[in-house]
Amino acid sequence: MRILVGAGTAAAIGAAFDAPLTGAFYAFELVIGTYSIAALFPVVAAAVTAVLVARSLQAGTYIVESAAPSVVDLGTYPLALLIGALCGLAGIAMMRGVGLTEALLVRSIPSATLRLMLGGLAVGGLALISPVALSAGHGALHLAFMTEAPAWPVLALLLVKAASSILSLGSGFRGGLFFASLLIGALGGKLFAGVLALWLPPGPDPLLMAIIGMSAFGTAVIGAPLAMTFLALETTGSLAVAGPVLAAVAVSGLIVRRLFGYSFATWRFHLRGETIRSAHDIGWINDLTVGSVMRREVPTAAATLDLAAFRQRFPLGAATRVVLLDEAGRYAGLVSVPEAHAAPLEGARCPA
């Protein structure tokens, strides 16, 4: 079931972005929780098949390939590290904001229906400022890549989208932050480039900073650093972009892991009492049963067995411990095999 869900997730993400590697690694990192040979073929096959079907149907992807630079200078890497750190801290603030907003609304408004109404009114009010507040932001993400804008409008869009996401989830609407995190990260990268251009003109490439911010903030919230790196690589088709993106997502993921400990999905589980930190933890807990941790074949011996016969029956290395049984077959003691071989032999019984 876990592999099937991972394969379906990889197919959906791969078809949506026209990015099979992104879909596959998203499934490995967030659904399956580990990289394994057993899951490699079905997950990759599902992702590739979905992309081929989407292409045959001439379906448009959510992100159009952008004219990313084919060469990135070394000065971009310190900026990428800084963007990664800022995205990690901002991601923590946003995830905390969702939890605090939800707790505040639950305490102040007991009715779930009234909370939903208030959340809808608040998001609708933000939509009067900008329609970016509505939906997941597919079109806005495309515009963030393809258009130029001053720093202040970009900041306004970023705040509107972040506030609408926090209010909608905090008031009880279902959903996640997948596309919202990509959009907020892209806007944050463009804002970063715009601010630097004011101080140090002409500043870095806004498109490159948007791609780095998208991947870094996505890693902070979603928790899939390799999937976000492959998303940038497959979206742009530029191998040069992958270097600074990988540096940014590594810093962002490390900051979130050390200072916060959770991605958004596992943070929501944590708020509901599940002490899990990743998909691997979920799988381990769900698969853990009493039978799987019990030893089914335990060496036993009669409690009346003398030490010499015990040594002959259980030489060193044959077992670590032996359970002694009485005449009725009930537990009578536990013998350590190394201690039994170290004990004096004259007239001795098994040292239970």
Side-chain angles (χ1 to χ4, degrees), residues 86-211:
L86 294 175
C87 287
L89 297 175
I92 294 174
M94 186 169 183
M95 290 185 284
R96 286 282 190 184
V98 173
L100 292 175
T101 301
E102 184 178 25
L104 178 62
L105 290 176
V106 168
R107 287 198 301 267
S108 58
I109 306 176
S111 173
T113 303
L114 291 178
R115 290 198 300 269
L116 290 172
M117 294 174 60
L118 178 62
L121 288 173
V123 174
L126 291 172
L128 296 177
I129 302 174
S130 171
V132 170
L134 302 176
S135 77
H138 309 150
L141 183 58
H142 171 60
L143 292 177
F145 283 143
M146 304 305 295
T147 60
E148 298 291 338
W152 287 112
V154 173
L155 176 60
L157 292 179
L158 189 153
L159 294 177
V160 165
K161 187 58 185 176
S164 64
S165 300
I166 291 174
L167 288 172
S168 61
L169 292 174
S171 60
F173 284 96
R174 297 305 178 194
L177 290 175
F178 184 88
F179 254 112
S181 66
L182 299 184
L183 174 58
I184 292 172
L187 293 174
K190 292 197 73 170
L191 178 63
F192 180 83
V195 171
L196 283 186
L198 295 176
W199 291 348
L200 302 171
D205 183 1
L207 174 59
L208 179 58
M209 295 298 105
I211 294 171

Side-chain angles (χ1 to χ4, degrees), residues 27-342:
F28 285 133
E29 292 180 299
L30 294 183
V31 178
I32 300 175
T34 185
Y35 305 99
S36 64
I37 300 298
L40 178 63
F41 176 76
V43 170
V44 173
V48 172
T49 303
V51 170
L52 293 177
V53 170
R55 289 178 180 177
S56 66
L57 297 175
Q58 298 180 349
T61 58
Y62 288 144
I63 299 181
V64 179
E65 290 186 4
S66 52
S70 58
V71 178
V72 175
D73 57 57
L74 294 178
T76 305
Y77 283 85
L79 298 179
L81 296 175
L82 180 56
I83 291 178
L86 294 175
C87 287
L89 297 175
I92 294 174
M94 186 169 183
M95 290 185 284
R96 286 282 190 184
V98 173
L100 292 175
T101 301
E102 184 178 25
L104 178 62
L105 290 176
V106 168
R107 287 198 301 267
S108 58
I109 306 176
S111 173
T113 303
L114 291 178
R115 290 198 300 269
L116 290 172
M117 294 174 60
L118 178 62
L121 288 173
V123 174
L126 291 172
L128 296 177
I129 302 174
S130 171
V132 170
L134 302 176
S135 77
H138 309 150
L141 183 58
H142 171 60
L143 292 177
F145 283 143
M146 304 305 295
T147 60
E148 298 291 338
W152 287 112
V154 173
L155 176 60
L157 292 179
L158 189 153
L159 294 177
V160 165
K161 187 58 185 176
S164 64
S165 300
I166 291 174
L167 288 172
S168 61
L169 292 174
S171 60
F173 284 96
R174 297 305 178 194
L177 290 175
F178 184 88
F179 254 112
S181 66
L182 299 184
L183 174 58
I184 292 172
L187 293 174
K190 292 197 73 170
L191 178 63
F192 180 83
V195 171
L196 283 186
L198 295 176
W199 291 348
L200 302 171
D205 183 1
L207 174 59
L208 179 58
M209 295 298 105
I211 294 171
I212 294 174
M214 175 191 73
S215 303
F217 196 82
T219 297
V221 175
I222 301 169
L226 288 179
M228 293 298 103
T229 303
F230 280 111
L231 176 61
L233 175 62
E234 293 181 297
T235 299
T236 62
S238 173
L239 186 60
V241 172
V245 166
L246 185 59
V249 301
V251 172
S252 176
L254 180 62
I255 287 177
V256 172
R257 190 71 176 182
R258 293 297 183 184
L259 300 183
F260 191 63
Y262 305 91
S263 64
F264 181 70
T266 51
W267 169 241
R268 301 290 284 177
F269 280 121
H270 174 74
L271 292 178
R272 285 158 175 77
E274 297 283 351
T275 55
I276 57 177
R277 294 168 63 91
S278 68
H280 182 73
D281 297 336
I282 300 172
W284 180 75
I285 292 295
N286 288 338
D287 295 339
L288 184 63
T289 61
V290 174
S292 64
V293 297
M294 291 183 64
R295 297 180 180 178
R296 299 181 182 275
E297 297 181 1
V298 181
T300 60
T304 57
L305 193 67
D306 59 43
L307 185 56
F310 182 89
R311 290 180 177 179
Q312 183 178 5
R313 182 175 174 182
F314 301 102
L316 282 173
T320 303
R321 292 177 178 84
V322 177
V323 177
L324 297 182
L325 303 177
D326 59 14
E327 292 80 0
R330 295 172 299 187
Y331 174 81
L334 191 66
V335 178
S336 172
V337 174
E339 292 181 5
H341 281 267

